[in-house]
Amino acid sequence: MAKIYIDERELEVAEGTTILKAAESAGLQIPHLCYHKAFIPEGSCRMCLVEIEGLPKLELACSTQVRDGMKITTTSESVVEARKGVLECLLAEHPIDCPICDKAGECKLQDYYDEYGLFDSEFDENKEKRQKRIEIGKNLLHDQERCVLCRRCVRFLGEVTKTHELGVFQRGVRAEVSIYDGILVDNNYSGNLAEICPVGAITDKDFRFKARTWFLQSRESICPLCSRGCNIYVESHQGFSRFSLPKRVYRIRTRENQMINGFWICDKGRYDYAYLDQERLDEIRMRNSQGSVTWPEITSHIAGEIGRLYHMKRAAHIGLILQTWLTNEEFFLLDKIFRNDVNIDKISFLDPAEEASDDFLLTSERTPNKRGAKELGFDLQPADWKKFFEDVDLLFVFASPIQDGLDVGPLKEALEKIDTKILFATHNHEINSSFDIVLPMSLIAEKGGSLTNIVGSVQNFSPALDAPGECRPAWQFFIELAKKLAINFDFYNQFSSMDDVREMMKKENPFFREVH
Amino acid sequence: MSDWIIILIKIICALVWFLVIALYLTWVERKESAVIQDRIGANRANIWKFRVIGLFQPFADAIKMLFKEDFTPRFSRKFLHNLAPFVSFFFVAITVSAIPFGDVLRIGGREIKLQIVDFNVSLLFVMAMLSLGIYGIILAGWSSNNRYTLLGGMRGAAQLISYEVALGLSLIGLIMVYPSLKLSAIVHYQGELLWGWIPKWGVFLQPLGLLIFFFAALAETKRVPFDLPEGENEIVGFFTEYSGLKWGLFMFTDFMEVLIIACLLTTLFFGGWQVPWLYADGFHFPWGGQWLLPHGIVVAFQVLAFNLKVFFFCWLQVLIRWTYPRFRYDQVMDLGWKLLVPLSLINIAGTAILLSLLG
Amino acid sequence: MIKALGNFIAIIKGSLLTTRHFMVNMWFHTLKLLRIKTKRKGAVTIQYPEEKREIASRHRSLHRLLKRDDGKPRCVACMLCVTVCPSECIFVEATEDPDPEIQKSPSSFIIDLSRCCFCGFCVEACPEDAIRMDTGQIEFAEYTRDRLIYDLEKLTE
């Protein structure tokens, strides 16, 4: 351990830590552009200069390691003067076109310009004209005027994806980041480039000019598109009071979690968010019903259907088809209600087909909670459908947003023979019309709960969006249903929130006690 | 036969005079208030772009009121609700029959009194009719079947009855001085001279009586310093449930009352149609000079003098309406019962003592 | 008693004041009627639709969007006006401009004047001097609310 002093504050940090990390651990911000936690410090932007007692020149905070007894000043006059100088040189070529830059609002250079900048440049010369719109990837555009040559993008492609599509060409004032021979950046993690760019040099075509960052509300969630469980921010626009917007979610950003996804998410998780807004099912549909049906009515109705079969000792005629888009808590409740209380054994899983994984984050499972279902004792093997559909009078289907796999042959045929078919869906889909009752469900981003990822990490999450229309999280419905069923009323009556269910689940199943 | 025709002509002339002047009082009110407040006033009403300083405004108002929905609330007493504005209007309009506009006009050997009916008790008649006007207010307030209009009606009735007392008492001194209840006789008495040169007008003989009468009469008109029964823009009052022409009738009644009060002031205290030193054959000045005039000119002078005096008092009342803020209700009652009534009693006593001393 | 007398005098003084106003104004009105020119007028009224008061140079009137030399709006859809607008009456939708030097331009720019409070913050916030409130136009009342919603076309006129 080394004892250092930063701005007269005494700190104990491990030997070998850089000054910048030490300062950040103490909550002190040192300006920097090129430094990123994920990469080896490069020291090219020179914004992080600090004064170290006993050294004649200013040193780089991002790459200088601490020594015992080091006395560091981050706000002295010479440091501020140096930062101003560095900033002036950066801004000598930077166009400061913040009004049309998508990074504005979350741009580091903009922040430092605001803090230290010379608002009237002392350069007489005009700024160098460069290309402002170069396509460097299938989703990426590069603005060479804005680029400050921090090389974060080059390092990302070198150190993380190891695909090396970008490089710095030319020297001196003509230096520029570019692709080799027109080969576009095309890997499954290219979206991260726009996010790590400290300025607006690399912009995302998907988000380009769609919304200003300060209108967006960032809320934490977990990506449900594969079983990795990457941590994300869902950024939604609250809209304006007089003008309605076409969608709620404008982009997905990564959330750091060293245990799961580090600093990155894949392009699938980043760009495939349209399902959050498109074609959402937001009302209860019941065949042959006049007017609208409310949740309490439909819950009573379903409870009545189950109860009827249960009391006639015909529970074996209830079938349950699941997809692993439910949270641990919901599986827990399903297990309790259908297997414990009603005691049915016709439970089968009909997950979307597995797809190719890559060797980094994206897994082959395209549902978020296979492992959780497994840990709760569900058998994930697809059933023998012919046998399964024999003597089914009441069928429940819990569909994934994509509803992949649901329209496959055996199910569609079998549906016609079943008396009562109930679908729990999130989106409008052609198969919805084959069911008697279609209940709108909240998506993962709209509810709270926990998911178990492919390696068995249990992660809690809370709602990032408000559920549209009549959508409800499944766990809420399960509790209501169980209370109406009244087979084990007292057990379910103790659940008033998600947390109650979670605590009970932890108590009963030790696997879920450790949460990441 | 010809008597009837003459009476009919007199009624028509008097009513036309009365209604036209009252109609134009609305214009006077708008314009005078504007001039007082450095404004221009209503000047937009026009016929083929001829604006004529807004003289068409009363007609525009009348047309507007005619075409407005005549709304009778569902919960009102329909018959009485409809009757009320007419009651108000009628009892004010009928007083004009007792007002002397001039002395006598002699045409072709026939003497025509310039007064519709010359009662023996015309003063009492006028007072009685003005008092009956209260019924219009009470009816309006009550028949609207709305608590607030009822309260407004009650306020109006209380105020008018209170001031009725002062109004009546203030005139007793006058009747003592001019021993008659006949308005034409009172005017004739005022033609005499005091000490040979001052006309024997009420204003000189009954200054306190004039003051009390004027205040009480102002309160009777229910206009601004005393507009507690209904302050159109602040106080919910007795004609809240009226609209269109019936509402207009109430407003019009107010203006007719102003005109009647001006007529009464003129007749009782300012010599009516009398012009100082003008006699039936012309002017006889106190310093000995005289200017003899033909009969027609003399009558014209008299009618003109009456009109001018009436106009002045109309102007004065409008001025007062646009000068003073509204009284509080307790102030209204204080003024009526604690000041005007005692003062009028003092006036009666004083007049009696003076008369008995002077023999 | 003295107080009552004072009150009475005050009442008389009040009516004398209004009488003076009446007399003086009437005098000038009469002179005007007789076509005698005077410096002072009988009334301070401005006869609005015919006579108009001159609008002050900093008066905030109807908005307009300035145009570039080639007729395109100067607005770059930075949405600072949207951000700063206290009554949330501006709505801008951005689109990619074919000119890489401009890059961003508004595909729709809507001001809901029925909601606008004419604070002028949008003008203050605009980094491109693209919106101004200097048209001097103050008569834009309409019979329906939706005609008060001004779009890009109406604003660039």
Side-chain angles (χ1 to χ4, degrees):
Chain A
M1 295 298 269
K3 192 180 249 183
I4 58 165
Y5 302 87
I6 303 181
D7 292 343
E8 289 166 14
R9 204 192 290 195
E10 198 182 302
L11 293 178
E12 286 264 359
V13 291
E15 289 279 356
T17 322
T18 59
I19 295 172
L20 194 90
K21 273 185 184 163
E24 271 182 3
S25 70
L28 287 167
Q29 296 295 323
I30 296 175
H32 57 272
L33 292 168
C34 69
Y35 171 74
H36 190 283
K37 267 185 271 181
F39 309 131
I40 302 156
E42 190 173 74
S44 64
C45 73
R46 320 302 285 184
M47 276 301 286
C48 61
L49 290 170
V50 288
E51 196 177 341
I52 299 171
E53 202 178 88
L55 292 180
K57 286 184 181 173
L58 302 178
E59 291 294 330
L60 291 175
C62 69
S63 52
T64 310
Q65 294 181 353
V66 294
R67 265 181 293 111
D68 200 34
M70 208 179 228
K71 288 201 172 91
I72 302 147
T73 324
T74 63
T75 51
S76 73
E77 210 172 291
S78 61
V79 171
V80 171
E81 201 53 42
R83 278 178 201 159
K84 274 188 180 175
V86 168
L87 201 62
E88 194 181 353
C89 291
L90 287 173
L91 293 171
E93 293 300 325
H94 190 85
I96 319 183
D97 53 354
C98 307
I100 60 166
C101 178
D102 278 327
K103 201 77 181 182
E106 53 184 17
C107 172
K108 289 197 159 182
L109 189 63
Q110 194 185 28
D111 293 347
Y112 302 146
Y113 175 57
D114 193 48
E115 198 175 345
Y116 302 105
L118 292 162
F119 296 108
D120 298 309
S121 175
E122 289 185 353
F123 288 97
D124 291 334
E125 299 83 4
N126 286 333
K127 289 180 179 176
E128 194 101 341
K129 273 261 139 258
R130 287 169 202 266
Q131 279 182 285
K132 284 194 72 78
R133 196 178 188 282
I134 308 169
E135 199 161 333
I136 57 164
K138 62 182 194 308
N139 268 315
L140 302 172
L141 291 173
H142 187 228
D143 186 328
Q144 291 185 331
E145 283 186 3
R146 289 183 197 149
C147 182
V148 293
L149 293 171
C150 70
R151 286 186 10 105
R152 275 187 184 189
C153 47
V154 178
R155 282 182 285 159
F156 173 78
L157 293 173
E159 292 176 24
V160 180
T161 66
K162 302 190 173 63
T163 45
H164 304 279
E165 285 111 330
L166 287 176
V168 178
F169 297 83
Q170 311 275 38
R171 308 223 153 238
V173 76
R174 279 183 283 283
E176 61 189 33
V177 170
S178 190
I179 46 174
Y180 296 90
D181 287 340
I183 303 163
L184 297 178
V185 180
D186 184 18
N187 59 55
N188 198 25
Y189 296 87
S190 64
N192 291 307
L193 289 178
E195 204 175 314
I196 57 167
C197 183
V199 295
I202 296 179
T203 49
D204 202 324
K205 270 191 211 166
D206 179 68
F207 181 62
R208 193 168 159 94
F209 303 158
K210 290 287 186 303
R212 300 317 301 264
T213 55
W214 54 85
F215 288 127
L216 299 177
Q217 200 182 54
S218 247
R219 286 206 248 167
E220 295 177 1
S221 189
I222 289 175
C223 176
L225 295 181
C226 79
S227 57
R228 178 67 62 188
C230 294
N231 290 209
I232 53 167
Y233 287 108
V234 176
E235 302 215 325
S236 58
H237 200 314
Q238 297 303 297
F240 303 102
S241 47
R242 286 288 281 179
F243 305 97
S244 54
L245 293 169
K247 55 181 184 174
R248 295 181 295 170
V249 180
Y250 275 79
R251 67 173 174 181
I252 305 288
R253 256 185 336 115
T254 69
R255 182 155 61 92
E256 183 191 340
N257 186 340
Q258 291 301 338
M259 305 290 292
I260 312 285
N261 59 322
F263 301 90
W264 324 113
I265 56 170
C266 67
D267 283 3
K268 183 178 170 55
R270 185 183 296 274
Y271 298 121
D272 288 1
Y273 59 84
Y275 76 93
L276 290 170
D277 286 310
Q278 278 174 5
E279 286 290 319
R280 282 304 302 280
L281 177 75
D282 57 359
E283 55 178 10
I284 302 168
R285 299 213 180 125
M286 190 176 174
R287 194 178 283 171
N288 306 328
S289 80
Q290 274 90 35
S292 59
V293 191
T294 62
W295 272 104
E297 283 166 19
I298 206 82
T299 315
S300 300
H301 179 77
I302 294 170
E305 292 277 329
I306 299 173
R308 194 165 51 84
L309 290 172
Y310 173 73
H311 291 299
M312 288 162 71
K313 305 274 184 262
R314 283 168 60 83
H317 295 273
I318 302 174
L320 202 57
I321 295 178
L322 302 171
Q323 293 195 316
T324 44
W325 263 73
L326 297 172
T327 62
N328 294 332
E329 288 80 357
E330 284 157 357
F331 277 126
F332 172 71
L333 286 169
L334 265 178
D335 179 45
K336 284 283 166 212
I337 296 166
F338 288 96
R339 291 212 300 201
N340 250 11
D341 298 349
V342 187
N343 196 13
I344 63 171
D345 53 0
K346 275 199 173 148
I347 297 177
S348 179
F349 282 81
L350 192 57
D351 274 332
E354 299 201 347
E355 285 170 41
S357 69
D358 63 15
D359 49 5
F360 188 31
L361 292 176
L362 188 65
T363 65
S364 56
E365 296 170 359
R366 290 302 150 88
T367 53
N369 203 19
K370 244 179 193 171
R371 180 71 186 268
K374 213 179 277 172
E375 291 299 332
L376 278 158
F378 286 96
D379 179 15
L380 297 189
Q381 295 305 314
D384 177 358
W385 292 113
K386 204 164 180 185
K387 206 174 154 208
F388 184 87
F389 284 121
E390 273 171 19
D391 295 336
V392 172
D393 293 339
L394 177 60
L395 180 72
F396 293 96
V397 177
F398 290 85
S400 69
I402 314 143
Q403 305 194 6
D404 260 0
L406 278 191
D407 48 354
V408 290
L411 178 60
K412 218 168 186 184
E413 285 167 27
L415 279 178
E416 287 163 19
K417 293 174 197 151
I418 298 167
D419 290 346
T420 316
K421 298 143 282 186
I422 298 164
L423 177 69
F424 295 80
T426 53
H427 287 71
N428 295 321
H429 192 274
E430 56 174 316
I431 204 165
N432 288 8
S433 59
S434 313
F435 287 85
D436 299 314
I437 298 172
V438 183
L439 295 171
M441 289 283 114
S442 299
L443 289 161
I444 295 284
E446 290 160 359
K447 61 186 175 189
S450 66
L451 291 172
T452 314
N453 82 348
I454 189 162
V455 294
S457 307
V458 181
Q459 297 186 87
N460 291 345
F461 60 93
S462 49
L465 297 168
D466 300 328
E470 292 181 292
C471 287
R472 272 199 180 184
W475 60 266
Q476 210 175 336
F477 170 76
F478 290 150
I479 294 173
E480 293 302 317
L481 179 74
K483 284 183 190 169
K484 287 262 164 65
L485 265 176
I487 296 172
N488 195 355
F489 183 82
D490 291 339
F491 178 74
Y492 299 102
N493 200 32
Q494 56 188 320
F495 302 141
S496 59
S497 70
M498 184 81 235
D499 293 333
D500 299 340
V501 183
R502 186 178 294 155
E503 287 311 311
M504 180 58 74
M505 180 176 73
K506 281 184 189 172
K507 210 157 84 185
E508 299 205 348
N509 196 332
F511 176 79
F512 296 102
R513 285 186 195 152
E514 198 180 327
V515 172
H516 298 280
Chain B
M1 181 62 209
S2 58
D3 284 350
W4 284 107
I5 292 172
I6 287 166
I7 288 274
L8 200 67
I9 291 170
K10 280 203 287 195
I11 289 174
I12 289 170
C13 287
L15 264 185
V16 166
W17 177 86
F18 191 62
L19 295 181
V20 167
I21 302 286
L23 190 64
Y24 270 92
L25 266 181
T26 63
W27 176 82
V28 168
E29 169 131 319
R30 284 159 177 272
K31 278 295 189 187
E32 189 179 331
S33 64
V35 173
I36 288 171
Q37 296 169 355
D38 301 352
R39 292 185 286 114
I40 289 178
N43 66 345
R44 297 270 155 177
N46 62 67
I47 294 176
W48 295 297
K49 306 275 176 204
F50 288 107
R51 286 179 173 179
V52 209
I53 55 171
L55 275 178
F56 299 125
Q57 189 64 41
F59 295 104
D61 289 345
I63 290 167
K64 185 194 87 171
M65 270 178 230
L66 267 175
F67 284 99
K68 270 185 123 166
E69 185 189 359
D70 182 15
F71 182 76
T72 312
R74 188 170 42 78
F75 45 78
S76 66
R77 313 262 161 161
K78 299 272 176 337
F79 176 69
L80 293 179
H81 189 267
N82 288 327
L83 184 68
F86 295 99
V87 169
S88 270
F89 180 82
F90 175 77
F91 287 121
V92 180
I94 201 158
T95 49
V96 80
S97 62
I99 303 293
F101 292 85
D103 195 5
V104 285
L105 180 65
R106 278 192 295 274
I107 297 174
R110 192 184 277 275
E111 286 202 351
I112 304 166
K113 280 192 174 166
L114 294 180
Q115 188 179 9
I116 297 174
V117 200
D118 193 11
F119 297 87
N120 249 339
V121 288
S122 42
L123 182 57
L124 282 187
F125 171 76
V126 171
M127 299 305 294
M129 287 304 123
L130 282 180
S131 310
L132 281 173
I134 299 172
Y135 279 101
I137 295 170
I138 297 177
L139 275 183
W142 182 74
S143 66
S144 298
N145 215 349
N146 166 338
R147 291 170 193 81
Y148 297 102
T149 54
L150 180 62
L151 284 175
M154 297 316 290
R155 279 201 306 275
Q159 178 183 324
L160 295 197
I161 288 171
S162 304
Y163 280 84
E164 210 70 58
V165 177
L167 197 71
L169 289 176
S170 70
L171 292 178
I172 290 185
L174 192 88
I175 299 162
M176 289 158 111
V177 177
Y178 311 120
S180 175
L181 287 172
K182 211 173 172 180
L183 285 175
S184 58
I186 289 173
V187 177
H188 271 290
Y189 280 122
Q190 294 185 61
E192 292 169 15
L193 294 178
L194 193 64
W195 304 312
W197 61 281
I198 301 177
K200 240 180 164 177
W201 287 4
V203 63
F204 302 117
L205 300 184
Q206 283 287 314
L208 190 56
L210 167 67
L211 219 59
I212 298 161
F213 179 81
F214 191 40
F215 274 119
L218 278 178
E220 289 287 302
T221 59
K222 314 185 288 293
R223 277 156 62 82
V224 156
F226 299 97
D227 64 340
L228 290 125
E230 167 103 27
E232 289 90 37
N233 38 17
E234 301 104 353
I235 307 176
V236 180
F238 65 96
F239 57 77
T240 304
E241 300 289 359
Y242 285 87
S243 70
L245 205 56
K246 284 192 292 190
W247 177 87
L249 224 47
F250 275 120
M251 288 307 284
F252 196 54
T253 309
D254 272 8
F255 285 101
M256 296 203 312
E257 273 176 357
V258 169
L259 190 53
I260 281 296
I261 298 302
C263 290
L264 283 179
L265 271 170
T266 309
T267 311
L268 297 173
F269 293 97
F270 289 86
W273 41 262
Q274 298 278 8
V275 184
W277 313 305
L278 178 68
Y279 298 92
D281 54 348
F283 284 100
H284 292 271
F285 299 112
W287 52 88
Q290 59 180 23
W291 180 25
L292 297 178
L293 293 163
H295 173 71
I297 304 287
V298 170
V299 172
F301 256 116
Q302 288 170 345
V303 173
L304 188 69
F306 177 79
N307 273 300
L308 282 178
K309 289 173 194 174
V310 167
F311 292 163
F312 173 77
F313 287 114
C314 287
W315 174 84
L316 189 63
Q317 285 184 67
V318 174
L319 184 87
I320 286 168
R321 186 243 175 279
W322 286 97
T323 302
Y324 300 114
R326 178 184 303 131
F327 284 111
R328 229 166 39 219
Y329 199 68
D330 61 320
Q331 290 170 332
V332 170
M333 285 295 144
D334 278 0
L335 184 70
W337 288 106
K338 292 191 191 164
L339 188 70
L340 295 188
V341 171
L343 270 182
S344 56
L345 290 174
I346 291 170
N347 184 43
I348 294 166
T351 311
I353 291 165
L354 267 178
L355 279 178
S356 63
L357 282 180
L358 295 171
Chain C
M1 188 69 199
I2 291 167
K3 201 184 158 200
L5 197 70
N7 288 348
F8 189 72
I9 289 169
I11 288 172
I12 300 296
K13 267 165 99 177
S15 70
L16 285 179
L17 180 77
T18 42
T19 313
R20 198 189 77 215
H21 265 262
F22 179 82
M23 291 302 174
V24 170
N25 288 333
M26 207 58 214
W27 171 248
F28 286 106
H29 279 307
T30 315
L31 286 183
K32 198 190 165 199
L33 210 65
L34 299 174
R35 318 257 165 195
I36 297 169
K37 285 249 155 77
T38 49
K39 214 172 177 183
R40 210 183 131 173
K41 282 182 183 166
V44 293
T45 313
I46 296 171
Q47 297 275 319
Y48 168 62
E50 296 97 38
E51 274 176 69
K52 278 175 189 163
R53 177 176 261 172
E54 202 181 314
I55 288 175
S57 56
R58 283 174 50 182
H59 179 92
R60 297 190 292 269
S61 47
L62 183 66
H63 314 66
R64 70 183 170 116
L65 286 180
L66 274 71
K67 285 186 268 192
R68 294 173 200 273
D69 295 336
D70 61 356
K72 282 195 284 190
R74 257 163 95 155
C75 173
V76 295
C78 70
M79 312 213 190
L80 289 183
C81 49
V82 182
T83 311
V84 80
C85 182
S87 42
E88 295 190 1
C89 70
I90 310 181
F91 178 73
V92 183
E93 211 169 37
T95 187
E96 187 93 38
D97 196 275
D99 184 351
E101 289 303 310
I102 300 171
Q103 290 207 359
K104 201 178 177 185
S105 61
S107 63
S108 78
F109 193 110
I110 297 168
I111 298 181
D112 184 352
L113 287 175
S114 66
R115 213 180 152 86
C116 178
C117 64
F118 294 89
C119 61
F121 284 4
C122 49
V123 181
E124 298 281 323
C126 187
E128 300 286 325
D129 190 19
I131 187 167
R132 285 192 195 168
M133 293 175 83
D134 60 354
T135 50
Q137 216 173 315
I138 52 172
E139 296 155 329
F140 40 87
E142 295 281 1
Y143 285 101
T144 54
R145 285 203 176 95
D146 46 318
R147 288 180 65 178
L148 279 172
I149 295 172
Y150 278 47
D151 58 7
L152 191 60
E153 211 171 289
K154 230 167 159 184
L155 286 165
T156 40
E157 265 170 19

